[in-house]
Each structure stands twice: as structure tokens, then as C-alpha cells.
Amino acid sequence: MRIYKFGGASIKDAESVKNVTSILQQEGTENCLLVISAMGKMTNAFEKIVHAYCYEREGLKAAQDFVANFHTEIIKDLFGEASEVQEKIDILFGKLSGFLAQNTSKDYDYLYDQIVCFGELASTTIVSNYFAKEGVENVWNDVRQLIITDSSYRDAKVDWQKTQETILQNIDQQKLNIVQGFLGGDTKGNTTTLGREGSDYTAGIFAYCLDANAVTIWKDVQGVLNADPRVFKDTQLLEQISYEETIEMAFYGASVIHPKTIQPLQSKDIPLYVRSFKDLKLSGTKVTRGVAIQPLLPCFIVKKDQILVSISALDFSFMVEDNISHIFKLLHQYLLKVNLIQNSAISFSVCVDNKFNQFETFYEELKSSYKVDVVKGVDLYTVRHFTEEALERINKTGQPLLTQINKETAQVVVNK
Ligand code: ASP
Ligand code: MG
């Protein structure tokens, strides 16, 4: 069994849906399961519906219209005017409107999952029907009945045993199957989601449960690159990397593959390929167990807009266990994600991400017990397999404030 994952960029318009169809025709359609995300940036558009529904009702209609029109344009291009597929999508979005009208819950995370799921329900309906129109036989499945999770909305945890049983009972492995990425279902019959960009993880879940031969994630880049092409100009393809390397890169912030994807694959030694949906001739990247990175290149990962905090005791005493544990308690309390730690006798530095905008309250509290220096808006560069040259390159992007070097990894905080 092969598992293929197609993300939003691979089905962002009619042309790209046709391209996916032709990939399947060339690569073969049997013994295959496709995991499909919402089209283009539709999950963001559904998030706007959630926001409008919860906080700004006057914007709700426009947000819903935007989503409906986006799909209608693609459906017109693929199936012509007044198609049966348009009727199916109308029914689907009618269900969403019905839900919004009847709902009484105020639980944002629950509502989020009940609403954004329509992105994947719509995309898979369109792709499945287009395949059928082109003579590519396929089975559409509702993944909410296959991936069983707890009820932690927006960050649902998979019940592996139940999920595997259900998948094995319901998926006909001879055929071409289509499922929605990112979604699951809880035992109360509600929709859950696995976290943003979770469709990669969906592919990992199916691969694990079906003992798949391989997973392929189809992307708009050649494969896994040694840096994010949106940030660095001269990126190069990594032909081969290990599971561990991929996890490390994701840990430091590379947005290559959803971090949860790797563990289920690793535990069954299922190889992961990352290939370009724009060029089938390219072989892309192969991720497997224990292999050395090839070619051996420095890999650059950047986290922008971080805050560097340097903390020392007011009485010039040393920074030791009790101060540090106090500081960590505060970091945890104010939901500040720590991306780098450096400690010396008299000062303790952390580079943090102010995702939840609680830095100011943290800072006020910290100032009452310590001397605190803050530099905002810094970039944190991580270089795996660094060389002198690679570090020099980073140091030139601004004023390096702090450097930390381990065996394989160098991290530099730079003030631009
Ligand atoms: N559509 C979801 C998102 O954009 C899941 C995914 O694309 O992986 O986050
Ligand atoms: Mg996406």
C-alpha cells in the first residue's frame, strides 16, 4: 500500500487538481490511499468564519461567501456550469450553515473543529468527483469515522488501537482511497482536528495502521531543502536524510514536515519520500532510518521575531538552581516558548517566542526579583552540520548577540 499526501498548494486551483489526476495516472492508482488537505489557503479562510461567528457576526456572511465562491470557481473550471458536484458542495456548506444556526456551544476550540473541517470535506469531494469524471476509479471515505481521537479539540490525540482496527476493517487496500487530512472524530460523534498542517500526520497514521510500503508527500518544492526558500536564496536539495535529522530540523523550527509524522513511520521503518508535484522526473528526498545526510550541507533554520532575555541576580550572586527553576516556572506560567538557553555564572539567557503575547506581564514580574535585559525582534538561526563559512554568513545578517555551539548544531541570536 502506498500513502500519498497532497497539501493545499497542490490543489489550489483547477489546473492543479488536473495535475494531481495526471500524477495518479502516471504513478498508478491501485493499492493507494490519498490524504488530501483543504484547497489552497482555505483553512485560513475557514478560521475567519470561526472568528466571525464567535466575535464579529456582521462579518460572518462575507467570510462564508468567500469560501463558497472560491470552491464554485474551481468547480466551474473542472465540471462546467450547474454541475452535480456544485450541488454536493451546496449541500455540504448548507450543513455548515445549519450547524452555525443551531449551535449553542461557546467552546471556541470545539467550534473551530466543527467549522474548519468543511475545507477538507469540500476538497476531497471535488477531487474524488474529478477523478471519477476522468475515469480514475476511487473510494471517498469520511476520515472522521476512521481516525478515532479523544476530545481535545484542535489538538486531538489519536486512539491508536481503535484507529487501527477501524482502518483495517474499512479500507479496501486494493483500491484507490481518498481521505481528508487533518481531521479525526471523537467517540461523541464530533469532529476533531490534529493541529495546523496536520495532514502529514494523517499520512503517518494511515501508513502505520496499514503497514504501508511508503509515504510520499507531494510538495511545490523539489523535496526537503537545506533551508527555507522563502528566506534563503541559494537552497539545495537534500537527497537523503534520517528520521532523526528530520525530527531535529522540525524541532528547531523548519517547516518541512509536520513533526508528529515521523514517529509512526520510524516505528515501522516505513520510508518517507518528499517529491515535487511539478516534476515527476525528480526523485526528491528519501527519509529512512540511520542514514547519513546526503549531500552533507549546512542546514539553515530561522525563527524570526524572538526576544532575547538576559537575567542576573540583583545582588551579583550566582545564577543557580533555585533562581533558574523560579525563572522557568514563570516562563511556563506565561506560555513563553523557550528556543535557546545559555547559562554562565552570573547571567542566564533565554531566547523566547512571544506567541501568546504574555511577555510584558512576565517581564514585570521578573523585574521585581532580577536585573533583566531585553532585546526584542531578534532572529534565532539554527545551523545543523555547520561550517565556519555557514556561521560567517549568519553573523553577517546583523549583530550576533549570542552563539551556542554543540556537536552538530550551532545557534546564533542575531539583532538585525
Ligand atoms: N488544511 C490544514 C491546514 O492548512 C491541514 C494541512 O494542510 O495539513 O492546516
Ligand atoms: Mg495546508
Side-chain angles (χ1 to χ4, degrees), residues 224 238-250 256-257 262 266 270-272 285-294 384-385 408:
V224 178
L238 302 172
E239 284 151 27
Q240 162 185 299
I241 49 175
S242 64
Y243 296 123
E244 296 78 10
E245 183 73 44
T246 316
I247 292 172
E248 291 287 341
M249 282 169 50
V256 266
I257 292 151
I262 301 298
Q266 189 173 21
I270 300 169
L272 167 69
T285 304
K286 181 175 184 183
V287 183
T288 47
R289 180 181 300 278
V291 293
I293 180 167
Q294 227 179 66
R384 299 264 306 153
H385 315 287
E408 295 281 6

Side-chain angles (χ1 to χ4, degrees), residues 14 21 74 100 143 147 168 179 187 198 213 265 294:
T21 319
I74 295 179
L100 296 179
V143 81
I147 293 183
L168 287 173
V179 301
T187 47
N213 298 38
L265 300 183
Q294 227 179 66

Side-chain angles (χ1 to χ4, degrees), residues 114-357:
Q114 311 321 302
I115 296 170
V116 296
C117 65
F118 283 92
E120 270 74 12
L121 293 171
S123 69
T124 50
T125 303
I126 294 170
V127 171
S128 168
N129 280 279
Y130 187 72
F131 278 10
K133 177 176 173 237
E134 293 300 298
V136 178
E137 236 182 271
N138 68 91
V139 185
W140 183 94
N141 300 275
D142 188 335
V143 81
R144 298 172 298 176
Q145 268 132 43
L146 298 172
I147 293 183
I148 316 299
T149 71
D150 68 2
S151 301
S152 321
Y153 300 110
R154 295 183 74 185
D155 186 26
K157 307 286 173 301
V158 175
D159 182 331
W160 286 93
Q161 206 187 333
K162 275 194 203 146
T163 298
Q164 181 156 34
E165 275 168 27
T166 330
I167 287 178
L168 287 173
Q169 268 165 25
N170 290 288
I171 294 291
D172 180 347
Q173 299 192 33
Q174 313 295 315
K175 297 205 165 134
L176 173 63
N177 292 278
I178 294 184
V179 301
Q180 303 75 31
F182 176 52
L183 314 182
D186 66 9
T187 47
K188 300 180 215 163
N190 295 324
T191 303
T192 58
T193 62
L194 304 170
R196 280 306 302 263
E197 304 303 327
S199 296
D200 292 349
Y201 184 37
T202 307
I205 297 169
F206 275 96
Y208 178 91
C209 293
L210 290 164
D211 271 314
N213 298 38
V215 172
T216 306
I217 295 181
W218 297 88
K219 286 196 159 250
D220 57 358
V221 287
Q222 286 176 56
V224 178
L225 305 175
N226 73 324
D228 184 341
R230 287 168 299 188
V231 186
F232 294 87
K233 268 180 247 124
D234 50 343
T235 56
Q236 278 176 270
L237 176 73
L238 302 172
E239 284 151 27
Q240 162 185 299
I241 49 175
S242 64
Y243 296 123
E244 296 78 10
E245 183 73 44
T246 316
I247 292 172
E248 291 287 341
M249 282 169 50
F251 173 79
Y252 288 113
S255 56
V256 266
I257 292 151
H258 192 283
K260 282 185 177 171
T261 314
I262 301 298
Q263 247 116 335
L265 300 183
Q266 189 173 21
S267 78
K268 289 205 173 173
D269 267 324
I270 300 169
L272 167 69
Y273 297 91
V274 182
R275 290 178 63 185
S276 164
F277 59 73
K278 291 177 177 165
D279 191 347
L280 289 187
K281 290 188 296 298
L282 302 175
S283 45
T285 304
K286 181 175 184 183
V287 183
T288 47
R289 180 181 300 278
V291 293
I293 180 167
Q294 227 179 66
L296 179 57
L297 291 171
C299 300
F300 298 89
I301 302 146
V302 59
K303 286 196 173 180
K304 299 217 164 229
D305 203 17
Q306 307 284 299
I307 304 175
L308 180 65
V309 194
S310 303
I311 307 157
S312 44
L314 289 167
D315 59 1
F316 304 110
S317 63
F318 294 148
M319 292 299 284
V320 288
E321 289 78 4
D322 60 339
N323 318 103
I324 295 174
S325 68
H326 175 222
I327 295 165
F328 261 97
K329 241 179 94 188
L330 295 177
L331 287 163
H332 178 69
Q333 182 182 338
Y334 294 107
L335 305 175
L336 290 159
K337 174 145 194 321
V338 178
N339 288 321
L340 177 139
I341 303 167
Q342 187 155 297
N343 193 26
S344 73
I346 51 160
S347 142
F348 177 73
S349 301
V350 283
C351 188
V352 298
D353 209 319
N354 187 21
K355 241 193 210 152
F356 297 92
N357 285 319

Side-chain angles (χ1 to χ4, degrees), residues 47 50 108-116 154 193 196:
E47 285 184 342
V50 182
Y108 187 91
D109 293 344
Y110 159 81
L111 290 169
Y112 181 101
D113 287 0
Q114 311 321 302
I115 296 170
V116 296
R154 295 183 74 185
T193 62
R196 280 306 302 263

